[in-house]
RNA sequence: GGAGGGAUGGGAGAGCGGUUAAAUCCAUCAGACUGUAAAUCUGACGCCCGAUGGGCUACGCAGGUUCGAAUCCUGCUCCCUCCA
């Protein structure tokens, strides 16, 4: 009944080469792809931070590609590992999540997850299905397969050990639990960023010790965040979320440093390798303005996660506001009344504005101090004219701009 | 059980009795420039006020010493390293 489609060279190439760091072992993976059973693809997630960003998307796209070939994804909801926290160099204690919270987070997660991955070929399972039944004896057994020395080889641990920084015992448990998940579901392939290599290998070994066919370890490059340097991460504040509004998503793409543009195309789009090369050389040789590539990237991403209309609109708006330095099409209204801070002498057509107060009232500045700073720094415009004075007479209907991105239209209440 | 180190602004990390709203770096914001919300350069970056000045908050928590404390003392709380 089930038949995996015949793989043509191009598809195969895209799956095994594009956006791939390492497949261990690659030949075995190819062999299994040709098998007559759909593969069980494993992907875990930690339900304590359900915000998906483009860093996750790199892996999700790969899963999608394989699903499209007929393989099946098993999504592990890490309700136990979430309590430990994957070693990240910090020793922040995580709070225990209650079951309801986990469920809610998991749902949020999956809602985002299915924007990339095919829900029809996805099965979600909770770690508690097996760890809920674990006894101390099972834990001890699990730990018996490895030595501390082996674990200290993991780069992160090795660095911390050498630097006399703390390594929590629970952190050592993390790879074991994640690895056991592979045993529990009998995973064929597990996916992760290159930083996950160690954990993935533990799963592979654990399966072998348990007499299972060891999973293929499939790693992908880490996507740098909007700072272009550090990995994209929520806690680093350099991420583009799947659920970012169109303008925000586009804007964040536009703020990418030039040197990561090509990598973003490689990991997040399907543009042909040939074009990828062209982009790469064009940026290096400075023959094309990189902003053009960023626009294209932004457009693709917004189209994908929102719609083509949103993409077009948001790009037009960007060009208008930031390139032409004109006013945006849709400016939110701010209603000025007698009660408004910073507004006085209101008559039919205009009023006297104390800008240090009004900017705060209108949400354009966080404090009066900041409002004054903006005025001082020549960052405030009223209908396109720079304003430095604190007190000015303004007509209703004008657009006030504070800085590059904040706009408000003053309307009479 | 023993010895020692530490808790500072969004993050990292100086300061170790006054001139410290607190160096520096990163992030952030603004301006300039630009083929870009890249890069680069410059500046700003606690809050409040009748404001070239004044006030209030802030360096784990609670007290104390002092004209004056992030800096010294005491007691808490938490964290870490090493030895056993």
């Amino acid at each position: 009944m089930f038949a995996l489609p015949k793989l043509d060279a191009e598809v195969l190439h895209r799956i095994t080469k594009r956006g791939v760091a390492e497949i261990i072992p690659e030949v075995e993976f190819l062999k299994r792809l040709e098998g007559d059973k759909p593969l069980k693809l494993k992907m875990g997630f930690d339900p304590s931070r359900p915000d998906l960003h483009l860093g996750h998307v790199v892996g999700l796209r790969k899963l999608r590609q394989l699903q499209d070939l007929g393989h099946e994804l098993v999504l592990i909801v890490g309700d136990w590992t979430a309590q430990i926290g994957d070693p990240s160099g910090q020793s922040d204690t995580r709070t225990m999540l209650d079951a309801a919270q986990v469920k809610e987070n998991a749902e949020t997660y999956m809602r985002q997850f299915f924007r990339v991955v095919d829900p029809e070929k996805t099965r979600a399972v909770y770690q508690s299905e097996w760890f809920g039944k674990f006894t101390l004896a099972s834990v001890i057994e699990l730990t018996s397969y490895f030595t501390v020395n082996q674990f200290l080889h993991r780069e992160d641990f090795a660095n911390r050990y050498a630097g006399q920084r703390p390594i929590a015992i629970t952190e050592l448990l993390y790879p074991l639990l994640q690895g056991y998940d592979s045993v529990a579901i009998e995973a064929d392939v597990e996916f992760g960023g290159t930083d996950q290599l160690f954990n993935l290998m533990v799963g592979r070994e654990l399966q072998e010790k348990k007499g299972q066919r060891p999973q293929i370890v499939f790693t992908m490059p880490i996507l740098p965040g909007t700072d272009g340097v550090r990995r994209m991460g929520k806690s680093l504040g350099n991420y583009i979320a799947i659920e970012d509004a169109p303008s925000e998503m586009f804007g964040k793409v536009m703020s990418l440093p030039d040197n990561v543009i090509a990598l973003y195309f490689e990991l997040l789009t399907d543009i042909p390798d040939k074009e990828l090369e062209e982009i790469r050389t064009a940026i290096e040789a400075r023959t094309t303005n990189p902003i053009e590539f960023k626009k294209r990237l932004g457009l693709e991403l917004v189209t994908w996660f929102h719609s083509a209309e949103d993409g077009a609109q948001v790009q037009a708006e960007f060009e208008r506001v930031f390139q032409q330095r004109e006013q945006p099409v849709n400016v939110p209204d701010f209603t000025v009344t007698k009660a408004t801070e910073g507004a006085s002498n209101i008559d039919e057509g205009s009023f006297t504005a104390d800008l240090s107060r009004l900017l705060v009232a209108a949400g354009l500045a966080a404090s009066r101090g900041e409002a004054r700073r903006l005025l001082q720094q020549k960052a405030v415009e009223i209908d396109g004219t720079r304003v430095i004075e604190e007190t000015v007479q303004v007509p209703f209907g004008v657009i006030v701009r504070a800085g590059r991105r904040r706009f408000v239209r003053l309307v009479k209440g």
Side-chain angles (χ1 to χ4, degrees):
Chain A
M1 298 208 280
F2 178 83
L4 291 168
K6 247 312 171 243
L7 299 175
D8 69 78
E10 197 188 318
V11 172
L12 203 60
H13 179 86
R14 198 177 73 210
I15 286 175
T16 60
K17 296 293 178 231
R18 174 82 168 261
V20 175
E22 204 178 358
I23 302 175
I24 305 171
E26 187 167 348
V27 278
E28 170 75 10
F29 177 65
L30 294 176
K31 223 165 74 195
R32 288 198 205 179
L33 275 184
E34 313 251 278
D36 53 1
K37 280 212 326 263
L39 298 177
K40 259 189 215 161
L41 315 173
K42 175 192 171 195
M43 175 85 181
F45 88 92
D46 167 349
S48 61
R49 309 186 176 187
D51 251 26
L52 283 190
H53 52 66
L54 296 184
H56 299 109
V57 169
V58 175
L60 301 188
R61 292 183 80 248
K62 195 53 76 179
L63 291 170
R64 178 61 193 241
Q65 290 168 357
L66 286 158
Q67 281 184 317
D68 288 346
L69 293 179
H71 301 290
E72 176 197 279
L73 170 63
V74 181
L75 179 63
I76 310 237
V77 182
D79 50 353
W80 278 78
T81 41
Q83 291 166 19
I84 297 175
D86 192 26
S88 61
Q90 272 116 5
S91 53
D92 56 335
T93 353
R94 309 260 172 120
T95 42
M96 297 270 277
L97 300 164
D98 61 47
Q101 188 65 47
V102 167
K103 189 157 178 291
E104 192 190 315
N105 287 349
E107 275 159 18
T108 312
Y109 184 95
M110 280 190 268
R111 185 186 71 230
Q112 301 173 49
F113 196 81
F114 290 141
R115 295 175 89 137
V116 184
V117 159
D118 181 359
E120 295 298 308
K121 298 194 182 90
T122 303
R123 188 159 59 88
V125 292
Y126 283 68
Q127 272 183 327
S128 43
E129 277 179 36
W130 47 91
F131 288 137
K133 298 198 272 281
F134 251 48
T135 61
L136 181 56
S138 338
V139 177
I140 291 172
E141 192 214 322
L142 200 55
T143 57
S144 72
Y145 296 113
F146 297 91
T147 67
V148 170
N149 309 271
Q150 285 174 303
F151 274 42
L152 285 182
H153 270 90
R154 178 180 167 156
E155 194 183 10
D156 177 72
F157 291 147
N159 290 151
R160 282 196 272 162
Y161 189 69
Q164 299 199 327
R165 271 171 289 129
I167 300 168
I169 291 172
T170 48
E171 290 184 272
L172 299 177
L173 245 32
Y174 191 98
L176 290 175
L177 297 193
Q178 182 174 338
Y180 187 81
D181 294 340
S182 296
V183 174
I185 66 160
E186 300 186 34
D188 286 302
V189 193
E190 182 165 8
F191 298 78
T194 49
D195 59 331
Q196 282 287 309
L197 181 63
F198 183 85
N199 293 348
L200 306 186
M201 290 303 283
V202 168
R204 182 172 159 81
E205 281 188 52
L206 219 42
Q207 284 176 308
E208 201 167 18
K209 310 235 189 210
K210 290 284 195 180
Q212 289 184 14
R213 187 169 69 160
Q215 67 185 9
I216 307 292
V217 166
F218 198 118
T219 61
M220 289 152 290
I222 304 286
L223 185 75
T226 50
D227 55 7
V229 181
R230 296 169 304 168
R231 60 171 301 150
M232 184 174 284
K234 192 182 176 192
S235 54
L236 296 173
N238 61 356
Y239 68 103
I240 302 176
I242 285 185
E243 300 205 316
D244 272 346
S247 60
E248 207 174 330
M249 186 177 276
F250 192 85
K252 285 180 182 176
V253 171
M254 295 314 289
S255 76
L256 289 173
D258 298 346
N259 61 309
V260 299
I261 298 172
L263 186 57
Y264 268 62
F265 271 106
E266 179 184 348
L267 299 182
L268 296 168
T269 73
D270 283 324
I271 67 164
D273 287 359
K274 195 167 138 281
E275 272 182 70
L276 198 57
E277 256 335 289
E278 286 165 9
I279 290 175
R280 209 161 253 144
T281 48
I283 290 174
E284 264 171 45
R286 305 177 63 82
T287 47
T288 310
N289 183 351
I291 196 177
E292 298 310 324
F293 297 128
K294 286 203 273 193
K295 279 185 194 169
R296 179 169 165 199
L297 179 63
L299 184 64
E300 287 220 16
L301 292 175
V302 173
T303 300
W304 182 16
F305 289 109
H306 295 278
S307 69
E309 299 82 77
D310 283 330
Q313 196 208 317
V314 136
Q315 173 168 349
E317 187 78 347
F318 171 85
E319 286 166 355
R320 186 181 163 81
V321 176
F322 297 107
Q323 289 196 278
Q324 264 98 64
R325 292 209 142 242
E326 284 171 26
Q327 304 191 317
V329 176
N330 292 312
V331 180
D333 285 347
F334 177 72
T335 309
V336 177
T337 67
K338 281 203 292 287
T340 304
E341 277 285 310
S344 55
N345 301 328
I346 301 176
D347 64 38
E348 269 318 295
S350 72
F351 69 101
T352 307
D354 173 353
L355 288 175
S356 72
R357 285 188 160 84
L358 190 68
L359 291 179
V360 176
L364 297 178
S367 68
R368 282 190 76 189
E370 185 182 314
R372 291 215 180 80
R373 232 175 282 137
L374 289 170
L375 285 166
Q376 245 170 21
Q377 292 177 149
K378 304 184 286 192
V380 179
E381 285 178 7
I382 291 177
D383 260 1
T385 313
R386 179 174 290 164
V387 180
I388 307 172
E389 306 79 43
E390 268 195 45
T391 309
V392 289
Q393 189 69 19
V394 291
F396 284 109
V398 293
I399 291 175
V400 179
R401 171 184 205 158
R404 282 180 286 190
R405 314 183 212 184
R406 283 161 285 170
F407 295 88
V408 118
R409 184 191 302 278
L410 300 178
V411 297
K412 189 167 176 354

